Amino acid sequence: MNRFIYSDDNKRYHTLYYHNLHTYGGRVFKAAIDAGFSCPNIDGSKGRGGCVFCAGGSGYFTDGALPVAEQFRREEKRIRVKYPTAKIIAYLQAHTNTYAPLSELERVYTEIINAGAAGLAVATRADCISVETVRLLASLRVPVTVELGLQTVHNSTAEKINRCHSYEDFLAGYSLLHGQVRVCVHIINGLPDENSEMMLETARQLGGLRPDGIKIHLLHVIRGTPLHKIYESGGYTPMTKEQYIDTVVRQLELIPAKTVIERITGDGDRASLAAPLWSTDKISVLGGIDKRQRELETWQGKYYDRDKQRT
């Protein structure tokens, strides 16, 4: 029998669905917004070209040519066709959404909120967080989540993927945000030359920080990216589905049960996805994680929470 505390069904990890149901009382959806911001790893202040896996700053779901309020209203209309009573959070997804003068950030955030957003999710980098930015985010009149890209705790990997910031940079930005606004941290499994123990170490260290949420992604090879060239030359081998499932199940054991797992596998753009093609069958991946947890009689926080109780 499943006794995981943050579950109303058979899940053995703290799903976003459970969090939203018990926090907001119903369904919550995100409206993807492109506010037109750049990134210090694209414009030359830190680097150029972005991370090796970057394809347009994760903005391929959005139309950045439109004003942000209009983007939100279009997304709202689309969502409400099927879910007329759902709450809708604006998701500033493309590029680095705290990378602009404070006055410009305030203008964009305010326009989206005034368009009717029930909350704001802001994707950014830890090296683009300041005391003033945190103060602005914390002052907004709707709930705010900062989606902070970590990807890995290993600086050697960060250099290989052209991340252009270190784990120490992440810790500095995270410390400013933690306790002021809700923070969801992104990590990626299957980064070049990382083995399973390195991926587990990322989860272990991140779990120790007790973030509000975590998104676990699989590294996708997207056509046209530097990673795609490496893959085509034989310099990168993606994870198999079995490797990914096993790694995620073991990572979950190291993450506190209270932390919301906001994503447990990513969605690549099918039109441009080169590999791994098995990742397009998301239901199979999710089912495989559930099955493996049952087989091992394990759950999120199994080892994290037990170790904390001993200390």
Side-chain angles (χ1 to χ4, degrees), residues 198-220:
M198 294 174 74
M199 298 176 218
L200 292 177
E201 184 59 24
T202 290
R204 182 179 293 108
Q205 292 195 36
L206 181 55
L209 298 175
R210 300 188 69 90
D212 301 289
I214 292 176
K215 284 187 176 179
I216 303 174
H217 298 269
L218 167 69
L219 182 61
H220 293 111

Side-chain angles (χ1 to χ4, degrees), residues 120-145:
L120 196 63
V122 179
T124 190
R125 291 163 53 101
D127 56 352
C128 294
I129 298 295
S130 67
V131 172
E132 293 76 19
T133 303
V134 174
R135 188 177 297 123
L136 169 62
L137 290 165
S139 72
L140 298 175
R141 65 178 186 271
V142 297
V144 174
T145 296

Side-chain angles (χ1 to χ4, degrees), residues 248-280:
V248 169
V249 168
R250 296 171 68 194
Q251 286 175 320
L252 289 172
E253 295 174 331
L254 304 171
I255 296 169
K258 190 175 182 180
T259 296
V260 181
I261 306 302
E262 299 199 15
R263 175 167 287 176
I264 207 162
T265 185
D267 296 309
D269 181 9
R270 289 178 180 239
S272 59
L273 179 68
L277 296 180
W278 59 260
S279 65
T280 61

Side-chain angles (χ1 to χ4, degrees), residues 124-252:
T124 190
R125 291 163 53 101
D127 56 352
C128 294
I129 298 295
S130 67
V131 172
E132 293 76 19
T133 303
V134 174
R135 188 177 297 123
L136 169 62
L137 290 165
S139 72
L140 298 175
R141 65 178 186 271
V142 297
V144 174
T145 296
V146 173
E147 304 220 3
L148 203 56
L150 169 59
Q151 322 314 0
T152 178
V153 301
H154 304 286
N155 286 336
S156 58
T157 304
E159 292 177 7
K160 290 174 186 174
I161 65 175
N162 195 41
R163 186 68 183 149
C164 290
H165 79 51
S166 66
Y167 183 43
E168 291 71 26
D169 291 329
F170 168 82
L171 292 173
Y174 181 84
S175 68
L176 292 176
L177 290 162
H178 186 58
Q180 302 302 310
V181 296
R182 189 172 181 276
V183 183
C184 176
V185 181
H186 294 223
I187 61 174
I188 298 178
N189 288 333
L191 290 169
D193 299 326
E194 285 207 352
N195 57 34
S196 61
E197 291 307 314
M198 294 174 74
M199 298 176 218
L200 292 177
E201 184 59 24
T202 290
R204 182 179 293 108
Q205 292 195 36
L206 181 55
L209 298 175
R210 300 188 69 90
D212 301 289
I214 292 176
K215 284 187 176 179
I216 303 174
H217 298 269
L218 167 69
L219 182 61
H220 293 111
V221 180
I222 303 299
R223 292 184 178 89
T225 63
L227 180 63
H228 185 221
K229 294 181 180 179
I230 298 170
Y231 169 72
E232 284 192 313
S233 70
Y236 172 70
T237 302
M239 297 182 82
T240 66
K241 182 168 75 169
E242 292 72 22
Q243 288 172 332
Y244 183 78
I245 288 171
D246 181 69
T247 299
V248 169
V249 168
R250 296 171 68 194
Q251 286 175 320
L252 289 172

